[in-house]
Amino acid sequence: MINLYPQKCNLCGGPVIYTNNAAVYGRKYGSGRCYLCQNCGARVGTHRRWPRQALGVLADARMRKGKVMCHGLFDKLWKGKRKASKKRADLYGWLAEQMEIDIEDCHFGYFDLSQLRQAYKILLAVQDKPMLYDERGQLYFADDQERDNAD
Ligand SMILES: [Zn+2]
């Protein structure tokens, strides 16, 4: 599990402060609070209802971009679909399995850069494949036509 009350930066080891996020974003945003690395500037927002609790690990610009890119691909798979919240939960389970991590750790905000890259590749590979459920209720993506023919 990741530390949701960080005092040391997960990227550079520098000291982390708990502060108002207006200084970072230019205006108050979300909970109004964030954790900020004094050394490298990596940061993470906090939970609206539990403002001391970080939403994930501290992230630098590349990780923030990776997170947005992953969410773009991930959200397309469930948003606006039938039984969207079930699909969303099942997709997290599926992704955790693909990445060989615990489902509790399967949040884009918890990933480091290499995990974000890994998740992005996995999600990209299934974008155009039909999302199906097998007889045990497990979500999977159907292989494409070429592969079926090759078998
Ligand atoms: Zn840092």
Side-chain angles (χ1 to χ4, degrees):
M1 269 309 278
I2 69 155
N3 181 7
L4 297 176
Y5 308 90
Q7 295 183 305
K8 213 175 104 176
C9 179
N10 48 276
L11 292 177
C12 76
V16 170
I17 56 162
Y18 177 67
T19 185
N20 293 316
N21 65 18
V24 177
Y25 300 119
R27 66 175 181 90
K28 192 176 173 225
Y29 187 78
S31 67
R33 299 299 184 114
C34 70
Y35 287 96
L36 177 67
C37 174
Q38 296 283 77
N39 183 50
C40 74
R43 65 202 191 215
V44 63
T46 69
H47 207 287
R48 249 178 212 275
R49 278 168 71 188
W50 302 282
R52 275 268 165 195
Q53 189 178 307
L55 293 169
V57 295
L58 277 81
D60 61 11
R62 284 193 302 176
M63 287 165 71
R64 288 195 293 274
K65 194 177 171 209
K67 208 157 42 173
V68 169
M69 288 167 70
C70 282
H71 257 298
L73 292 180
F74 186 84
D75 293 347
K76 263 198 272 177
L77 299 171
W78 64 269
K79 261 193 184 166
K81 302 230 170 133
R82 236 159 37 85
K83 297 186 180 168
S85 66
K86 179 188 183 329
K87 284 201 173 112
R88 179 175 177 273
D90 291 341
L91 279 162
Y92 273 118
W94 170 83
L95 183 61
E97 203 162 286
Q98 302 299 306
M99 294 178 71
E100 300 178 342
I101 58 174
D102 288 339
I103 185 148
E104 296 81 39
D105 297 326
C106 194
H107 298 284
F108 297 116
Y110 287 11
F111 292 170
D112 61 23
L113 190 62
S114 77
Q115 286 178 308
L116 285 165
R117 287 184 170 142
Q118 187 191 1
Y120 185 82
K121 278 186 202 160
I122 290 167
L123 291 167
L124 192 64
V126 299
Q127 282 299 300
D128 298 320
K129 294 185 178 179
M131 194 169 99
L132 302 168
Y133 285 92
D134 68 16
E135 65 279 4
R136 292 171 303 135
Q138 295 287 313
L139 182 150
Y140 72 102
F141 289 89
D143 278 330
D144 51 46
Q145 204 64 44
E146 284 122 56
R147 226 193 260 166
D148 287 345
N149 292 342
D151 283 341

mmCIF file with all atom_site columns, all heavy atoms in Angstrom, residues 120-142:
data_model
loop_
_atom_site.group_PDB
_atom_site.id
_atom_site.type_symbol
_atom_site.label_atom_id
_atom_site.label_alt_id
_atom_site.label_comp_id
_atom_site.label_asym_id
_atom_site.label_entity_id
_atom_site.label_seq_id
_atom_site.pdbx_PDB_ins_code
_atom_site.Cartn_x
_atom_site.Cartn_y
_atom_site.Cartn_z
_atom_site.occupancy
_atom_site.B_iso_or_equiv
_atom_site.pdbx_formal_charge
_atom_site.auth_seq_id
_atom_site.auth_comp_id
_atom_site.auth_asym_id
_atom_site.auth_atom_id
_atom_site.pdbx_PDB_model_num
ATOM 1   N N   . TYR A 1 120 ? -1.003  2.184   -19.951 1.00 0.00 ? 120 TYR A N   1
ATOM 2   C CA  . TYR A 1 120 ? -1.377  2.826   -21.206 1.00 0.00 ? 120 TYR A CA  1
ATOM 3   C C   . TYR A 1 120 ? -1.297  1.845   -22.376 1.00 0.00 ? 120 TYR A C   1
ATOM 4   O O   . TYR A 1 120 ? -2.200  1.764   -23.199 1.00 0.00 ? 120 TYR A O   1
ATOM 5   C CB  . TYR A 1 120 ? -0.484  4.047   -21.465 1.00 0.00 ? 120 TYR A CB  1
ATOM 6   C CG  . TYR A 1 120 ? -0.904  4.812   -22.697 1.00 0.00 ? 120 TYR A CG  1
ATOM 7   C CD1 . TYR A 1 120 ? -1.950  5.726   -22.629 1.00 0.00 ? 120 TYR A CD1 1
ATOM 8   C CD2 . TYR A 1 120 ? -0.278  4.612   -23.921 1.00 0.00 ? 120 TYR A CD2 1
ATOM 9   C CE1 . TYR A 1 120 ? -2.362  6.427   -23.761 1.00 0.00 ? 120 TYR A CE1 1
ATOM 10  C CE2 . TYR A 1 120 ? -0.683  5.305   -25.052 1.00 0.00 ? 120 TYR A CE2 1
ATOM 11  C CZ  . TYR A 1 120 ? -1.723  6.210   -24.959 1.00 0.00 ? 120 TYR A CZ  1
ATOM 12  O OH  . TYR A 1 120 ? -2.141  6.879   -26.074 1.00 0.00 ? 120 TYR A OH  1
ATOM 13  N N   . LYS A 1 121 ? -0.220  1.073   -22.417 1.00 0.00 ? 121 LYS A N   1
ATOM 14  C CA  . LYS A 1 121 ? -0.050  0.090   -23.497 1.00 0.00 ? 121 LYS A CA  1
ATOM 15  C C   . LYS A 1 121 ? -1.143  -0.963  -23.460 1.00 0.00 ? 121 LYS A C   1
ATOM 16  O O   . LYS A 1 121 ? -1.680  -1.356  -24.499 1.00 0.00 ? 121 LYS A O   1
ATOM 17  C CB  . LYS A 1 121 ? 1.311   -0.609  -23.361 1.00 0.00 ? 121 LYS A CB  1
ATOM 18  C CG  . LYS A 1 121 ? 2.449   0.199   -23.938 1.00 0.00 ? 121 LYS A CG  1
ATOM 19  C CD  . LYS A 1 121 ? 3.736   -0.610  -23.903 1.00 0.00 ? 121 LYS A CD  1
ATOM 20  C CE  . LYS A 1 121 ? 4.932   0.326   -23.942 1.00 0.00 ? 121 LYS A CE  1
ATOM 21  N NZ  . LYS A 1 121 ? 6.149   -0.332  -23.443 1.00 0.00 ? 121 LYS A NZ  1
ATOM 22  N N   . ILE A 1 122 ? -1.454  -1.429  -22.260 1.00 0.00 ? 122 ILE A N   1
ATOM 23  C CA  . ILE A 1 122 ? -2.502  -2.451  -22.098 1.00 0.00 ? 122 ILE A CA  1
ATOM 24  C C   . ILE A 1 122 ? -3.843  -1.901  -22.576 1.00 0.00 ? 122 ILE A C   1
ATOM 25  O O   . ILE A 1 122 ? -4.573  -2.567  -23.315 1.00 0.00 ? 122 ILE A O   1
ATOM 26  C CB  . ILE A 1 122 ? -2.590  -2.902  -20.618 1.00 0.00 ? 122 ILE A CB  1
ATOM 27  C CG1 . ILE A 1 122 ? -1.342  -3.706  -20.234 1.00 0.00 ? 122 ILE A CG1 1
ATOM 28  C CG2 . ILE A 1 122 ? -3.859  -3.712  -20.362 1.00 0.00 ? 122 ILE A CG2 1
ATOM 29  C CD1 . ILE A 1 122 ? -1.180  -3.933  -18.735 1.00 0.00 ? 122 ILE A CD1 1
ATOM 30  N N   . LEU A 1 123 ? -4.144  -0.678  -22.160 1.00 0.00 ? 123 LEU A N   1
ATOM 31  C CA  . LEU A 1 123 ? -5.439  -0.080  -22.511 1.00 0.00 ? 123 LEU A CA  1
ATOM 32  C C   . LEU A 1 123 ? -5.521  0.243   -24.001 1.00 0.00 ? 123 LEU A C   1
ATOM 33  O O   . LEU A 1 123 ? -6.568  0.091   -24.629 1.00 0.00 ? 123 LEU A O   1
ATOM 34  C CB  . LEU A 1 123 ? -5.674  1.186   -21.680 1.00 0.00 ? 123 LEU A CB  1
ATOM 35  C CG  . LEU A 1 123 ? -5.915  0.927   -20.193 1.00 0.00 ? 123 LEU A CG  1
ATOM 36  C CD1 . LEU A 1 123 ? -5.814  2.218   -19.389 1.00 0.00 ? 123 LEU A CD1 1
ATOM 37  C CD2 . LEU A 1 123 ? -7.282  0.283   -19.976 1.00 0.00 ? 123 LEU A CD2 1
ATOM 38  N N   . LEU A 1 124 ? -4.398  0.665   -24.561 1.00 0.00 ? 124 LEU A N   1
ATOM 39  C CA  . LEU A 1 124 ? -4.374  0.990   -25.985 1.00 0.00 ? 124 LEU A CA  1
ATOM 40  C C   . LEU A 1 124 ? -4.650  -0.253  -26.829 1.00 0.00 ? 124 LEU A C   1
ATOM 41  O O   . LEU A 1 124 ? -5.359  -0.195  -27.833 1.00 0.00 ? 124 LEU A O   1
ATOM 42  C CB  . LEU A 1 124 ? -3.017  1.601   -26.345 1.00 0.00 ? 124 LEU A CB  1
ATOM 43  C CG  . LEU A 1 124 ? -2.914  2.266   -27.708 1.00 0.00 ? 124 LEU A CG  1
ATOM 44  C CD1 . LEU A 1 124 ? -3.842  3.470   -27.810 1.00 0.00 ? 124 LEU A CD1 1
ATOM 45  C CD2 . LEU A 1 124 ? -1.469  2.703   -27.982 1.00 0.00 ? 124 LEU A CD2 1
ATOM 46  N N   . ALA A 1 125 ? -4.100  -1.368  -26.379 1.00 0.00 ? 125 ALA A N   1
ATOM 47  C CA  . ALA A 1 125 ? -4.209  -2.612  -27.145 1.00 0.00 ? 125 ALA A CA  1
ATOM 48  C C   . ALA A 1 125 ? -5.637  -3.139  -27.233 1.00 0.00 ? 125 ALA A C   1
ATOM 49  O O   . ALA A 1 125 ? -5.952  -3.925  -28.121 1.00 0.00 ? 125 ALA A O   1
ATOM 50  C CB  . ALA A 1 125 ? -3.302  -3.688  -26.535 1.00 0.00 ? 125 ALA A CB  1
ATOM 51  N N   . VAL A 1 126 ? -6.505  -2.728  -26.311 1.00 0.00 ? 126 VAL A N   1
ATOM 52  C CA  . VAL A 1 126 ? -7.879  -3.267  -26.332 1.00 0.00 ? 126 VAL A CA  1
ATOM 53  C C   . VAL A 1 126 ? -8.919  -2.249  -26.792 1.00 0.00 ? 126 VAL A C   1
ATOM 54  O O   . VAL A 1 126 ? -10.118 -2.553  -26.800 1.00 0.00 ? 126 VAL A O   1
ATOM 55  C CB  . VAL A 1 126 ? -8.299  -3.813  -24.939 1.00 0.00 ? 126 VAL A CB  1
ATOM 56  C CG1 . VAL A 1 126 ? -7.366  -4.958  -24.522 1.00 0.00 ? 126 VAL A CG1 1
ATOM 57  C CG2 . VAL A 1 126 ? -8.332  -2.722  -23.885 1.00 0.00 ? 126 VAL A CG2 1
ATOM 58  N N   . GLN A 1 127 ? -8.461  -1.070  -27.169 1.00 0.00 ? 127 GLN A N   1
ATOM 59  C CA  . GLN A 1 127 ? -9.420  -0.001  -27.487 1.00 0.00 ? 127 GLN A CA  1
ATOM 60  C C   . GLN A 1 127 ? -10.477 -0.397  -28.512 1.00 0.00 ? 127 GLN A C   1
ATOM 61  O O   . GLN A 1 127 ? -11.628 -0.037  -28.378 1.00 0.00 ? 127 GLN A O   1
ATOM 62  C CB  . GLN A 1 127 ? -8.682  1.252   -27.982 1.00 0.00 ? 127 GLN A CB  1
ATOM 63  C CG  . GLN A 1 127 ? -8.061  2.071   -26.860 1.00 0.00 ? 127 GLN A CG  1
ATOM 64  C CD  . GLN A 1 127 ? -9.076  2.608   -25.857 1.00 0.00 ? 127 GLN A CD  1
ATOM 65  O OE1 . GLN A 1 127 ? -9.976  3.348   -26.217 1.00 0.00 ? 127 GLN A OE1 1
ATOM 66  N NE2 . GLN A 1 127 ? -8.947  2.242   -24.596 1.00 0.00 ? 127 GLN A NE2 1
ATOM 67  N N   . ASP A 1 128 ? -10.066 -1.116  -29.539 1.00 0.00 ? 128 ASP A N   1
ATOM 68  C CA  . ASP A 1 128 ? -11.025 -1.429  -30.608 1.00 0.00 ? 128 ASP A CA  1
ATOM 69  C C   . ASP A 1 128 ? -11.576 -2.848  -30.515 1.00 0.00 ? 128 ASP A C   1
ATOM 70  O O   . ASP A 1 128 ? -12.232 -3.327  -31.433 1.00 0.00 ? 128 ASP A O   1
ATOM 71  C CB  . ASP A 1 128 ? -10.357 -1.222  -31.982 1.00 0.00 ? 128 ASP A CB  1
ATOM 72  C CG  . ASP A 1 128 ? -9.937  0.222   -32.162 1.00 0.00 ? 128 ASP A CG  1
ATOM 73  O OD1 . ASP A 1 128 ? -10.715 1.107   -31.749 1.00 0.00 ? 128 ASP A OD1 1
ATOM 74  O OD2 . ASP A 1 128 ? -8.834  0.461   -32.688 1.00 0.00 ? 128 ASP A OD2 1
ATOM 75  N N   . LYS A 1 129 ? -11.289 -3.513  -29.404 1.00 0.00 ? 129 LYS A N   1
ATOM 76  C CA  . LYS A 1 129 ? -11.771 -4.893  -29.257 1.00 0.00 ? 129 LYS A CA  1
ATOM 77  C C   . LYS A 1 129 ? -13.086 -4.916  -28.494 1.00 0.00 ? 129 LYS A C   1
ATOM 78  O O   . LYS A 1 129 ? -13.289 -4.127  -27.576 1.00 0.00 ? 129 LYS A O   1
ATOM 79  C CB  . LYS A 1 129 ? -10.737 -5.729  -28.507 1.00 0.00 ? 129 LYS A CB  1
ATOM 80  C CG  . LYS A 1 129 ? -9.461  -5.902  -29.295 1.00 0.00 ? 129 LYS A CG  1
ATOM 81  C CD  . LYS A 1 129 ? -8.502  -6.811  -28.595 1.00 0.00 ? 129 LYS A CD  1
ATOM 82  C CE  . LYS A 1 129 ? -7.249  -6.986  -29.449 1.00 0.00 ? 129 LYS A CE  1
ATOM 83  N NZ  . LYS A 1 129 ? -6.279  -7.853  -28.792 1.00 0.00 ? 129 LYS A NZ  1
ATOM 84  N N   . PRO A 1 130 ? -13.968 -5.843  -28.857 1.00 0.00 ? 130 PRO A N   1
ATOM 85  C CA  . PRO A 1 130 ? -15.229 -5.937  -28.115 1.00 0.00 ? 130 PRO A CA  1
ATOM 86  C C   . PRO A 1 130 ? -14.993 -6.404  -26.681 1.00 0.00 ? 130 PRO A C   1
ATOM 87  O O   . PRO A 1 130 ? -14.237 -7.345  -26.448 1.00 0.00 ? 130 PRO A O   1
ATOM 88  C CB  . PRO A 1 130 ? -16.018 -6.994  -28.908 1.00 0.00 ? 130 PRO A CB  1
ATOM 89  C CG  . PRO A 1 130 ? -15.221 -7.342  -30.095 1.00 0.00 ? 130 PRO A CG  1
ATOM 90  C CD  . PRO A 1 130 ? -13.844 -6.805  -29.934 1.00 0.00 ? 130 PRO A CD  1
ATOM 91  N N   . MET A 1 131 ? -15.636 -5.703  -25.736 1.00 0.00 ? 131 MET A N   1
ATOM 92  C CA  . MET A 1 131 ? -15.529 -6.048  -24.323 1.00 0.00 ? 131 MET A CA  1
ATOM 93  C C   . MET A 1 131 ? -16.655 -7.019  -23.996 1.00 0.00 ? 131 MET A C   1
ATOM 94  O O   . MET A 1 131 ? -17.820 -6.715  -24.217 1.00 0.00 ? 131 MET A O   1
ATOM 95  C CB  . MET A 1 131 ? -15.682 -4.769  -23.503 1.00 0.00 ? 131 MET A CB  1
ATOM 96  C CG  . MET A 1 131 ? -15.274 -4.900  -22.079 1.00 0.00 ? 131 MET A CG  1
ATOM 97  S SD  . MET A 1 131 ? -15.210 -3.249  -21.320 1.00 0.00 ? 131 MET A SD  1
ATOM 98  C CE  . MET A 1 131 ? -16.783 -3.245  -20.516 1.00 0.00 ? 131 MET A CE  1
ATOM 99  N N   . LEU A 1 132 ? -16.311 -8.188  -23.493 1.00 0.00 ? 132 LEU A N   1
ATOM 100 C CA  . LEU A 1 132 ? -17.300 -9.248  -23.278 1.00 0.00 ? 132 LEU A CA  1
ATOM 101 C C   . LEU A 1 132 ? -17.169 -9.832  -21.873 1.00 0.00 ? 132 LEU A C   1
ATOM 102 O O   . LEU A 1 132 ? -16.197 -9.581  -21.173 1.00 0.00 ? 132 LEU A O   1
ATOM 103 C CB  . LEU A 1 132 ? -17.075 -10.368 -24.305 1.00 0.00 ? 132 LEU A CB  1
ATOM 104 C CG  . LEU A 1 132 ? -17.140 -9.978  -25.785 1.00 0.00 ? 132 LEU A CG  1
ATOM 105 C CD1 . LEU A 1 132 ? -16.616 -11.111 -26.655 1.00 0.00 ? 132 LEU A CD1 1
ATOM 106 C CD2 . LEU A 1 132 ? -18.557 -9.604  -26.182 1.00 0.00 ? 132 LEU A CD2 1
ATOM 107 N N   . TYR A 1 133 ? -18.173 -10.619 -21.496 1.00 0.00 ? 133 TYR A N   1
ATOM 108 C CA  . TYR A 1 133 ? -18.116 -11.367 -20.247 1.00 0.00 ? 133 TYR A CA  1
ATOM 109 C C   . TYR A 1 133 ? -18.174 -12.855 -20.567 1.00 0.00 ? 133 TYR A C   1
ATOM 110 O O   . TYR A 1 133 ? -18.973 -13.282 -21.403 1.00 0.00 ? 133 TYR A O   1
ATOM 111 C CB  . TYR A 1 133 ? -19.292 -10.987 -19.348 1.00 0.00 ? 133 TYR A CB  1
ATOM 112 C CG  . TYR A 1 133 ? -19.118 -9.633  -18.691 1.00 0.00 ? 133 TYR A CG  1
ATOM 113 C CD1 . TYR A 1 133 ? -19.603 -8.477  -19.286 1.00 0.00 ? 133 TYR A CD1 1
ATOM 114 C CD2 . TYR A 1 133 ? -18.451 -9.520  -17.467 1.00 0.00 ? 133 TYR A CD2 1
ATOM 115 C CE1 . TYR A 1 133 ? -19.430 -7.236  -18.689 1.00 0.00 ? 133 TYR A CE1 1
ATOM 116 C CE2 . TYR A 1 133 ? -18.277 -8.287  -16.865 1.00 0.00 ? 133 TYR A CE2 1
ATOM 117 C CZ  . TYR A 1 133 ? -18.769 -7.140  -17.467 1.00 0.00 ? 133 TYR A CZ  1
ATOM 118 O OH  . TYR A 1 133 ? -18.588 -5.924  -16.879 1.00 0.00 ? 133 TYR A OH  1
ATOM 119 N N   . ASP A 1 134 ? -17.323 -13.638 -19.913 1.00 0.00 ? 134 ASP A N   1
ATOM 120 C CA  . ASP A 1 134 ? -17.376 -15.081 -20.142 1.00 0.00 ? 134 ASP A CA  1
ATOM 121 C C   . ASP A 1 134 ? -18.449 -15.708 -19.235 1.00 0.00 ? 134 ASP A C   1
ATOM 122 O O   . ASP A 1 134 ? -19.139 -15.001 -18.500 1.00 0.00 ? 134 ASP A O   1
ATOM 123 C CB  . ASP A 1 134 ? -15.996 -15.726 -19.946 1.00 0.00 ? 134 ASP A CB  1
ATOM 124 C CG  . ASP A 1 134 ? -15.532 -15.683 -18.502 1.00 0.00 ? 134 ASP A CG  1
ATOM 125 O OD1 . ASP A 1 134 ? -16.364 -15.441 -17.593 1.00 0.00 ? 134 ASP A OD1 1
ATOM 126 O OD2 . ASP A 1 134 ? -14.335 -15.897 -18.269 1.00 0.00 ? 134 ASP A OD2 1
ATOM 127 N N   . GLU A 1 135 ? -18.563 -17.028 -19.272 1.00 0.00 ? 135 GLU A N   1
ATOM 128 C CA  . GLU A 1 135 ? -19.660 -17.692 -18.545 1.00 0.00 ? 135 GLU A CA  1
ATOM 129 C C   . GLU A 1 135 ? -19.503 -17.589 -17.028 1.00 0.00 ? 135 GLU A C   1
ATOM 130 O O   . GLU A 1 135 ? -20.469 -17.763 -16.292 1.00 0.00 ? 135 GLU A O   1
ATOM 131 C CB  . GLU A 1 135 ? -19.806 -19.167 -19.001 1.00 0.00 ? 135 GLU A CB  1
ATOM 132 C CG  . GLU A 1 135 ? -18.630 -20.078 -18.688 1.00 0.00 ? 135 GLU A CG  1
ATOM 133 C CD  . GLU A 1 135 ? -17.492 -19.952 -19.700 1.00 0.00 ? 135 GLU A CD  1
ATOM 134 O OE1 . GLU A 1 135 ? -17.568 -19.088 -20.629 1.00 0.00 ? 135 GLU A OE1 1
ATOM 135 O OE2 . GLU A 1 135 ? -16.530 -20.719 -19.573 1.00 0.00 ? 135 GLU A OE2 1
ATOM 136 N N   . ARG A 1 136 ? -18.299 -17.276 -16.560 1.00 0.00 ? 136 ARG A N   1
ATOM 137 C CA  . ARG A 1 136 ? -18.102 -17.082 -15.116 1.00 0.00 ? 136 ARG A CA  1
ATOM 138 C C   . ARG A 1 136 ? -18.289 -15.612 -14.707 1.00 0.00 ? 136 ARG A C   1
ATOM 139 O O   . ARG A 1 136 ? -18.046 -15.254 -13.568 1.00 0.00 ? 136 ARG A O   1
ATOM 140 C CB  . ARG A 1 136 ? -16.697 -17.538 -14.708 1.00 0.00 ? 136 ARG A CB  1
ATOM 141 C CG  . ARG A 1 136 ? -16.476 -19.051 -14.824 1.00 0.00 ? 136 ARG A CG  1
ATOM 142 C CD  . ARG A 1 136 ? -15.008 -19.399 -14.624 1.00 0.00 ? 136 ARG A CD  1
ATOM 143 N NE  . ARG A 1 136 ? -14.159 -18.692 -15.592 1.00 0.00 ? 136 ARG A NE  1
ATOM 144 C CZ  . ARG A 1 136 ? -13.025 -18.063 -15.281 1.00 0.00 ? 136 ARG A CZ  1
ATOM 145 N NH1 . ARG A 1 136 ? -12.585 -18.030 -14.043 1.00 0.00 ? 136 ARG A NH1 1
ATOM 146 N NH2 . ARG A 1 136 ? -12.333 -17.442 -16.229 1.00 0.00 ? 136 ARG A NH2 1
ATOM 147 N N   . GLY A 1 137 ? -18.664 -14.787 -15.690 1.00 0.00 ? 137 GLY A N   1
ATOM 148 C CA  . GLY A 1 137 ? -18.875 -13.371 -15.388 1.00 0.00 ? 137 GLY A CA  1
ATOM 149 C C   . GLY A 1 137 ? -17.597 -12.550 -15.380 1.00 0.00 ? 137 GLY A C   1
ATOM 150 O O   . GLY A 1 137 ? -17.571 -11.441 -14.877 1.00 0.00 ? 137 GLY A O   1
ATOM 151 N N   . GLN A 1 138 ? -16.520 -13.130 -15.932 1.00 0.00 ? 138 GLN A N   1
ATOM 152 C CA  . GLN A 1 138 ? -15.249 -12.415 -16.006 1.00 0.00 ? 138 GLN A CA  1
ATOM 153 C C   . GLN A 1 138 ? -15.193 -11.574 -17.277 1.00 0.00 ? 138 GLN A C   1
ATOM 154 O O   . GLN A 1 138 ? -15.478 -12.076 -18.360 1.00 0.00 ? 138 GLN A O   1
ATOM 155 C CB  . GLN A 1 138 ? -14.079 -13.411 -16.029 1.00 0.00 ? 138 GLN A CB  1
ATOM 156 C CG  . GLN A 1 138 ? -13.930 -14.222 -14.758 1.00 0.00 ? 138 GLN A CG  1
ATOM 157 C CD  . GLN A 1 138 ? -13.385 -13.397 -13.617 1.00 0.00 ? 138 GLN A CD  1
ATOM 158 O OE1 . GLN A 1 138 ? -12.409 -12.672 -13.768 1.00 0.00 ? 138 GLN A OE1 1
ATOM 159 N NE2 . GLN A 1 138 ? -14.034 -13.487 -12.459 1.00 0.00 ? 138 GLN A NE2 1
ATOM 160 N N   . LEU A 1 139 ? -14.785 -10.335 -17.071 1.00 0.00 ? 139 LEU A N   1
ATOM 161 C CA  . LEU A 1 139 ? -14.663 -9.440  -18.217 1.00 0.00 ? 139 LEU A CA  1
ATOM 162 C C   . LEU A 1 139 ? -13.427 -9.809  -19.043 1.00 0.00 ? 139 LEU A C   1
ATOM 163 O O   . LEU A 1 139 ? -12.386 -10.140 -18.495 1.00 0.00 ? 139 LEU A O   1
ATOM 164 C CB  . LEU A 1 139 ? -14.549 -8.003  -17.692 1.00 0.00 ? 139 LEU A CB  1
ATOM 165 C CG  . LEU A 1 139 ? -14.460 -6.842  -18.683 1.00 0.00 ? 139 LEU A CG  1
ATOM 166 C CD1 . LEU A 1 139 ? -15.087 -5.615  -18.051 1.00 0.00 ? 139 LEU A CD1 1
ATOM 167 C CD2 . LEU A 1 139 ? -13.033 -6.542  -19.085 1.00 0.00 ? 139 LEU A CD2 1
ATOM 168 N N   . TYR A 1 140 ? -13.577 -9.786  -20.352 1.00 0.00 ? 140 TYR A N   1
ATOM 169 C CA  . TYR A 1 140 ? -12.397 -9.969  -21.205 1.00 0.00 ? 140 TYR A CA  1
ATOM 170 C C   . TYR A 1 140 ? -12.620 -9.236  -22.528 1.00 0.00 ? 140 TYR A C   1
ATOM 171 O O   . TYR A 1 140 ? -13.736 -8.814  -22.834 1.00 0.00 ? 140 TYR A O   1
ATOM 172 C CB  . TYR A 1 140 ? -12.106 -11.461 -21.450 1.00 0.00 ? 140 TYR A CB  1
ATOM 173 C CG  . TYR A 1 140 ? -13.076 -12.165 -22.362 1.00 0.00 ? 140 TYR A CG  1
ATOM 174 C CD1 . TYR A 1 140 ? -12.732 -12.427 -23.690 1.00 0.00 ? 140 TYR A CD1 1
ATOM 175 C CD2 . TYR A 1 140 ? -14.329 -12.573 -21.907 1.00 0.00 ? 140 TYR A CD2 1
ATOM 176 C CE1 . TYR A 1 140 ? -13.627 -13.072 -24.541 1.00 0.00 ? 140 TYR A CE1 1
ATOM 177 C CE2 . TYR A 1 140 ? -15.224 -13.218 -22.751 1.00 0.00 ? 140 TYR A CE2 1
ATOM 178 C CZ  . TYR A 1 140 ? -14.870 -13.462 -24.068 1.00 0.00 ? 140 TYR A CZ  1
ATOM 179 O OH  . TYR A 1 140 ? -15.751 -14.093 -24.916 1.00 0.00 ? 140 TYR A OH  1
ATOM 180 N N   . PHE A 1 141 ? -11.551 -9.093  -23.277 1.00 0.00 ? 141 PHE A N   1
ATOM 181 C CA  . PHE A 1 141 ? -11.645 -8.459  -24.590 1.00 0.00 ? 141 PHE A CA  1
ATOM 182 C C   . PHE A 1 141 ? -11.429 -9.522  -25.654 1.00 0.00 ? 141 PHE A C   1
ATOM 183 O O   . PHE A 1 141 ? -10.477 -10.301 -25.571 1.00 0.00 ? 141 PHE A O   1
ATOM 184 C CB  . PHE A 1 141 ? -10.603 -7.345  -24.724 1.00 0.00 ? 141 PHE A CB  1
ATOM 185 C CG  . PHE A 1 141 ? -10.945 -6.152  -23.876 1.00 0.00 ? 141 PHE A CG  1
ATOM 186 C CD1 . PHE A 1 141 ? -10.497 -6.079  -22.561 1.00 0.00 ? 141 PHE A CD1 1
ATOM 187 C CD2 . PHE A 1 141 ? -11.728 -5.120  -24.367 1.00 0.00 ? 141 PHE A CD2 1
ATOM 188 C CE1 . PHE A 1 141 ? -10.833 -4.996  -21.760 1.00 0.00 ? 141 PHE A CE1 1
ATOM 189 C CE2 . PHE A 1 141 ? -12.068 -4.043  -23.576 1.00 0.00 ? 141 PHE A CE2 1
ATOM 190 C CZ  . PHE A 1 141 ? -11.615 -3.977  -22.267 1.00 0.00 ? 141 PHE A CZ  1
ATOM 191 N N   . ALA A 1 142 ? -12.319 -9.545  -26.619 1.00 0.00 ? 142 ALA A N   1
ATOM 192 C CA  . ALA A 1 142 ? -12.219 -10.548 -27.680 1.00 0.00 ? 142 ALA A CA  1
ATOM 193 C C   . ALA A 1 142 ? -11.008 -10.248 -28.552 1.00 0.00 ? 142 ALA A C   1
ATOM 194 O O   . ALA A 1 142 ? -10.691 -9.087  -28.812 1.00 0.00 ? 142 ALA A O   1
ATOM 195 C CB  . ALA A 1 142 ? -13.489 -10.532 -28.524 1.00 0.00 ? 142 ALA A CB  1
#
